[in-house]
């Protein structure tokens, strides 16, 4: 081998090995969204097993029980089953922002018995649960100061990906009984997104057997909030459980001319998103059953009973009567975060890494071949 080629190859192989180590220090061997655990029998102490990677250890744990339950719980196993049985991700300590704590959020839930934190009375101000052919979701209104968010936090997105594929929160797991036919058999939800902030929330759990779960639970539109990622008819002060049609995939829209387009979310470096090229389509909901919060959340204490005092019990609304689009508009900024999470960046990061790896493989092959040829 010529000296120049030899020194290039030596330098290249050295830098390639440094780059490989750098990459290894960020990405886990198995992305969180590819880890499977049966609930409750197969739950590990922590789903994240890579404490030496850049973001450090998983803050809490997934193995949760009666000793962990309550206001100090660090349980990071969450549930989305029904209007009276769901959790949201929120911070460990008071007066936090999602952007500062996205890797550490813990589960706050409506039901005791699974080792989590329980929502304080009055936290939930309005909730619409919707079941569609592709997912279940809750969208609603929350006094976010009661779940440790700063009053002015516009929030961001939690999902099982993140720029380093370890999830936000790291190791966060989600389960549901929605597809099991009984209330005691849990399905692990591999694709989900939960936007928190601006006094609102949306949490969608995509059917793991659905053909398009990654698209419905997209994680790369982290700056445009609930109204674009989970458009709904949720209304403040109303608690209802509905059937519904599935939304368009987040970021995919049909113009007035019938042309289907894909929205490209600008990077944070370009500043605040001040205009959008489309209004999201709100799918119709049907067979809505309304409740008072007291009927649903008695476990939280009596203060919730005042939240929806005017609703009569178990009123079945006519199909479609709750399709008030205007409420969705008020959600336009829900969870839309300028600080954002790193989910969107994750895609860019991964494709860049793949490109570099592709080049590296060619160069390694070439350098090895040179050794034989010269
Ligand atoms: C309860 O959960 C905690 C936290 O994961 C764990 O350390 C403890 O061993 C569990 N206790 C039982 C009896 O499983
Ligand atoms: C919450 O945090 C903000 C920003 O750090 C601070 O200005 C404010 O005083 C804090 N509020 C409380 C109640 O601690
Ligand atoms: C499961 O629980 C929901 C309420 O969370 C209830 O409406 C439903 O009837 C239950 N299903 C079965 C099969 O027990
Ligand atoms: C929802 O209603 C409650 C009670 O009226 C109110 O305090 C809260 O500001 C409302 N939330 C939003 C986001 O409008």
């Amino acid at each position: 081998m010529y000296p120049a080629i030899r020194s290039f190859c030596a330098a290249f192989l050295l830098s390639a090995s440094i780059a490989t180590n750098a990459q290894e220090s960020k990405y886990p061997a198995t992305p969180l969204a590819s880890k499977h655990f049966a609930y409750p029998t197969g739950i590990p102490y922590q789903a994240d097993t890579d404490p030496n990677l850049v973001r450090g250890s998983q803050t809490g744990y997934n193995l949760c029980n009666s000793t962990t339950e309550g206001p100090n719980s660090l349980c990071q196993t969450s549930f989305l089953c029904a209007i009276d049985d769901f959790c949201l991700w929120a911070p460990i300590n008071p007066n936090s922002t999602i952007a500062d704590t996205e890797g550490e959020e813990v589960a706050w839930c409506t039901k005791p018995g699974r080792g989590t934190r329980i929502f304080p009375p009055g936290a939930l101000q309005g909730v619409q649960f919707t079941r569609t052919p592709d997912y279940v979701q809750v969208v609603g209104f929350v006094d976010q100061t009661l779940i440790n968010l700063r009053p002015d936090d516009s929030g961001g997105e939690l999902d099982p990906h993140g720029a380093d594929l370890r999830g936000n929160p790291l190791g966060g797991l989600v389960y549901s009984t929605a597809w099991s036919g009984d209330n005691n058999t849990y399905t692990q939800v591999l694709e989900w997104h939960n936007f928190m902030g601006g006094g609102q929330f949306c949490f969608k759990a995509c059917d793991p057997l659905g053909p398009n779960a990654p698209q419905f639970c997209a994680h790369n539109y982290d700056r445009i909030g609930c109204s674009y990622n989970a458009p709904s008819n949720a209304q403040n002060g109303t608690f209802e459980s509905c059937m519904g049609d599935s939304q368009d995939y987040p970021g995919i829209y049909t113009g007035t001319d019938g042309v289907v387009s894909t929205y490209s979310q600008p990077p944070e470096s370009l500043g605040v998103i001040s205009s959008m090229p489309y209004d999201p389509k709100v799918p119709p909901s049907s067979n809505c059953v309304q409740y008072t919060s007291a009927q649903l959340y008695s476990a939280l204490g009596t203060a919730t009973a005042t939240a929806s005092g005017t609703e009569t019990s178990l009123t079945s609304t006519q199909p479609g009567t709750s399709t008030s689009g205007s409420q969705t508009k008020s959600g336009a900024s829900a969870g839309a975060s300028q600080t954002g999470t790193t989910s969107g960046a994750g895609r860019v990061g991964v494709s860049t890494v793949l490109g570099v790896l592709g080049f590296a493989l060619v160069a390694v092959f070439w350098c090895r071949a040179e050794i034989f040829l010269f």
Side-chain angles (χ1 to χ4, degrees), residues 44-46 60-68:
Y45 175 65
Q46 290 179 321
Y61 38 75
N62 300 100
L63 190 64
C64 314
N65 52 46
S66 57
T67 62
T68 67

Side-chain angles (χ1 to χ4, degrees), residues 94-96 150-152:
N95 206 31
S96 302
R150 256 169 56 177
D152 60 347

